[in-house]
Amino acid sequence: MNIKFINIPSNLLFDTNVSSFAKLLFGELYVLSYKKGVCEVSNKFLANANKCSTRKIIRALNNLKDCGYISIIEYPTRKIFIGMTELSPNL
């Protein structure tokens, strides 16, 4: 049996300011950013993968960002950093 899973830190798991969907999305972003330390994925990709609207993805990303679990650089392409490990925008 090939078991696949996502990790959600306990401080995030028990944070009542973060929606349940945002917690799951964080786990997905963590997996996607594992090798590079940064995630470069579109809202449309995430929406299709989670069978939801892009608006729901945007709300969840904003929720995670506002609570300090991720940071996002928009220029020149969007990069999502997990755990506020924001690097130089020149990546």
Side-chain angles (χ1 to χ4, degrees), residues 72-86:
I72 300 174
I73 294 177
E74 296 288 346
Y75 180 81
T77 60
R78 181 174 74 174
K79 296 181 187 315
I80 302 171
F81 297 90
I82 301 299
M84 298 299 290
T85 57
E86 187 174 273

Side-chain angles (χ1 to χ4, degrees), residues 16-90:
T16 58
N17 296 313
V18 180
S19 72
S20 296
F21 180 74
K23 293 172 186 179
L24 290 174
L25 185 62
F26 178 91
E28 191 174 351
L29 295 171
Y30 183 81
V31 169
L32 292 170
S33 68
Y34 178 71
K35 290 191 179 193
K36 291 185 188 179
V38 63
C39 180
E40 297 180 57
V41 63
S42 70
N43 292 339
K44 185 175 182 178
F45 174 86
L46 292 170
N48 288 337
N50 289 285
K51 297 179 180 26
C52 67
S53 69
T54 55
R55 183 68 197 129
K56 186 171 185 174
I57 297 296
I58 292 167
R59 281 193 306 267
L61 289 173
N62 285 334
N63 188 200
L64 289 167
K65 187 171 88 172
D66 292 344
C67 291
Y69 292 101
I70 64 171
S71 61
I72 300 174
I73 294 177
E74 296 288 346
Y75 180 81
T77 60
R78 181 174 74 174
K79 296 181 187 315
I80 302 171
F81 297 90
I82 301 299
M84 298 299 290
T85 57
E86 187 174 273
L87 302 174
S88 169
N90 296 328

